[in-house]
Amino acid sequence: MQPMIHARLKLAWKAFELNVDLQLPGRGISALFGHSGSGKTTCLRCLAGLERADEAYIEVNGVVWQDSRRQYFLPAHRRSIGYVFQEASLFTHLSVRSNLEFGQRRTPPRERKVAFEQACELLGIRHLLERQPDTLSGGERQRVGIARALLTSPQLLLMDEPLASLDVPRKREILPYLERLHDELEIPLVYVSHALDEVTRLADHLVIIEQGNVLASGALAPTLARIDLPLAQEEDAGVIIEGNVASYDPAYRLLSLHVPGTALHLRVTHAPLAIGDRLRLKVRARDVSLSLVENDHSSILNRLPVRVGQQRAADNDAHVLLSLDAGGTPLLARITRFSYDQLGIHEGQQLWAQIKSVALLG
Amino acid sequence: MPLDANDLAAIWLTFKLASLTTLILLIVGTPIAWWLARTRSWLRGPVGAIVALPLVLPPTVIGFYLLLAMGPNGLIGQATQALGLGTVVFSFSGLVIGSVIYSMPFVVQPLQNAFSAIGERPLEVAATLRAGPWDTFFSVVLPLAKPGFITASILGFAHTVGEFGVVLMIGGNIPDKTRVVSVQIYDHVEAMDYLQAHWLAGAMLVFSFVVLLALYASRREKPSWS
């Protein structure tokens, strides 16, 4: 059986109602994305057992954690979770080492899969062990918080905007550690965030929550490419493309990325990488322009034949959003309404997409 | 020797009374303070008010009701009689019961404040780290509330030492049993023995100052949670 996280939650507070049915993959990173007040953190707290929804059914990897029809509620301290709060919330009366050991000591020895050394190594906190939490920087504190959660060897990691209280340099400091977690541990992670850049960089699965309801849920790339979601209207909207390095030209520091299962190659400047390395790129809608013919005389490196899919008016009505199909890989483009009319763009049309710049993610 | 044997006996009795009262109050007051700090029940207000009553009532009023309660027909009296202890009026046990009630707010309120200051977060963190409620109380709440416990102990002890009216009402003036320092000073003054009163009163003054000094010095240490 495929490992799965299933959570059906219903609760009503004064001016807020939550009604969601989440089916998340039992591996990789699932992002709960939404604006503040959308209910994403409440979902996470219900999963953890910190909040008790009126009606709820929660099952993780075949184990039921809550079933309101049977009046069954597994309290938080009995759930195999690791929880990372927005503020690291380290115990101030304990050293870093004792903070880390707090959860580990309370985990039955046969369930301990993450070793102390491994967690310290993964988060780069070995040199901080004998310090007191109030002598750490915000970024260091959060890394200790993550390691502390890992050391309960949880079946499910839950993170509530772990980067939201940090400034940009601290965020940059932590993101690579989160990526390492993703690559090196088999623990599924549910990651709550309102920051699109974090989500596109980390997530495998995306759930968009709005006003207590699930607006969309699916694998990251196809969900980001959906033109009907409000996400597509964001300034930073775009698709992600994952592929392997097919070739590298050191003279121009230019690499070619091949998207498996398609004929798509994208070229991007990058520090040297080995052939076959995996990369995640982001192509923003506003960086994609369209042309009726292939333009060989352009400085733009990436020119792809595409077929026009649906179109939709942008919030800014001088612009039009288009979904494009580049040989199986979806793209989004934001162009002016003027060009849209000038070129006579219509669904099913074959065009050339020019990608002005490709942002690297991770 | 400026203090005679009776004075020393009174000091020792006062110390015994205050220590025992403080110990009992820490045991009884902690759950009450925890409940007051965390409950959402409507009973919170009434219970909080009852605990705070000794702050505003004249000690003679408390002493009067305690005297009635501890007497043969009172609630406490009947309970102690049923347990085969007789009545506790004019005994050391009676003084302890009286002191516990009289000093209750001085222990419960600092503890309640300390528990409230900790907030919900550390408890949630502990739960996600697999600590059950009791485990959390002993390994997280108690250490974080340590400054509150220090304050509560000092105030409870010092306030019991300073007790006079309640003692007089329910304890009387029995050497080695109920004659505490404050009563002994009163006796000296009654007997026009001002020199003796001076020594004892001066000792109390110095003691109280040192206690308060210790209290305020310990408060500089931050009871923090970040």
Side-chain angles (χ1 to χ4, degrees), chain B residues 12-85:
Chain B
W12 172 240
L13 187 72
T14 307
F15 177 77
K16 258 200 330 193
L17 176 66
S19 306
L20 195 58
T21 301
T22 307
L23 186 70
I24 292 171
L25 272 176
L26 286 177
I27 295 167
V28 176
T30 300
I32 296 175
W34 179 251
W35 183 82
L36 282 172
R38 314 247 331 142
T39 187
R40 286 182 202 155
S41 155
W42 64 272
L43 281 170
R44 183 176 184 273
V47 172
I50 290 170
V51 167
L53 268 183
L55 287 175
V56 293
L57 279 180
T60 43
V61 172
I62 301 171
F64 173 63
Y65 283 121
L66 281 172
L67 189 63
L68 294 183
M70 288 179 190
N73 299 319
L75 215 63
I76 300 174
Q78 300 216 320
T80 51
Q81 280 170 315
L83 292 169
L85 301 169

Side-chain angles (χ1 to χ4, degrees), chain B residues 76 150 196:
Chain B
I76 300 174
I150 293 171
Q196 212 55 27

Side-chain angles (χ1 to χ4, degrees), chain A residues 174-223:
Chain A
I174 292 192
L175 272 166
Y177 292 108
L178 292 175
E179 280 166 349
R180 284 181 67 186
L181 289 188
H182 178 243
D183 296 343
E184 294 181 25
L185 292 178
E186 286 286 283
I187 305 171
L189 166 58
V190 180
Y191 188 97
V192 162
S193 179
H194 69 270
L196 190 55
D197 57 329
E198 288 169 30
V199 169
T200 46
R201 188 162 162 181
L202 294 171
D204 305 304
H205 188 94
L206 177 60
V207 179
I208 302 170
I209 297 185
E210 203 175 79
Q211 292 175 344
N213 293 295
V214 173
L215 202 62
S217 173
L220 179 69
T223 309

Side-chain angles (χ1 to χ4, degrees), chain B residues 29 39 57 59 85 110-111 116 118 143 149 169 214:
Chain B
T39 187
L57 279 180
L85 301 169
L111 290 182
S116 301
I118 290 173
F149 276 94
M169 294 291 282

